[in-house]
Amino acid sequence: APVMCVDSSPPGRRLLVSASRDRTLKLWNIVTGSLLKTLAGHDADVLWCCFSPHWPFIASSSADGTCRIWHVDHGNCLTQLALHDIGVSAIATSCIFSPDGWRLLTTSDDGIMRAFALDTCHLVGTYAAEARE
């Protein structure tokens, strides 16, 4: 399946995560190139992935309208942030952790960026992308 995104782990971890159109994330050993585990759960293409600055978490965003937080060591989905739960019908196109690791910032095809607090999983901010001429 085509790979949509890749990210490397924090220093010293030697891992790579990839997001692909087969609806999965894959965790790789960056030194040997071996596949360590597959993270499944999204219902559509996984478009983006990133490691948290706080080990051992990964975030992913998908065409299914969700962003998920995964535990690297266990391979399980810890939480799902569904854009439709906040009244939005959109594709989650990307996500990134804030530098302190306590918020997840998401983008979607509706032109809105959203910030979620990870301790409560609540939406804490929205930012409209404005076209500039």
Side-chain angles (χ1 to χ4, degrees):
V3 174
M4 305 304 291
C5 181
V6 65
D7 191 28
S8 59
S9 61
R13 298 293 179 172
R14 299 183 185 154
L15 298 174
L16 205 65
V17 63
S18 62
S20 63
R21 297 188 77 180
D22 66 359
R23 303 177 179 189
T24 67
L25 296 161
K26 291 186 174 27
L27 196 61
W28 306 87
N29 179 309
I30 202 167
V31 175
T32 66
S34 61
L35 176 63
L36 301 174
K37 69 182 62 159
T38 299
L39 310 176
H42 280 291
D43 296 325
D45 298 354
V46 183
L47 305 173
W48 200 267
C49 58
C50 61
F51 278 95
S52 169
H54 297 296
W55 186 258
F57 306 108
I58 294 172
S60 61
S61 61
S62 170
D64 66 8
T66 68
C67 291
R68 294 176 184 245
I69 307 295
W70 305 84
H71 192 285
V72 174
D73 296 334
H74 303 129
N76 61 317
C77 177
L78 299 174
T79 192
Q80 174 180 300
L81 304 169
L83 298 182
H84 58 82
D85 287 348
I86 56 172
V88 178
S89 176
I91 293 172
T93 56
S94 70
C95 59
I96 191 167
F97 288 95
S98 60
D100 65 9
W102 292 108
R103 293 207 183 339
L104 186 70
L105 309 170
T106 68
T107 62
S108 57
D109 66 348
D110 64 356
I112 305 292
M113 297 174 286
R114 295 173 179 82
F116 292 88
L118 293 180
D119 56 344
T120 63
C121 295
H122 289 136
L123 180 69
V124 295
T126 58
Y127 313 92
E130 296 182 25
R132 294 187 183 208
E133 296 183 28

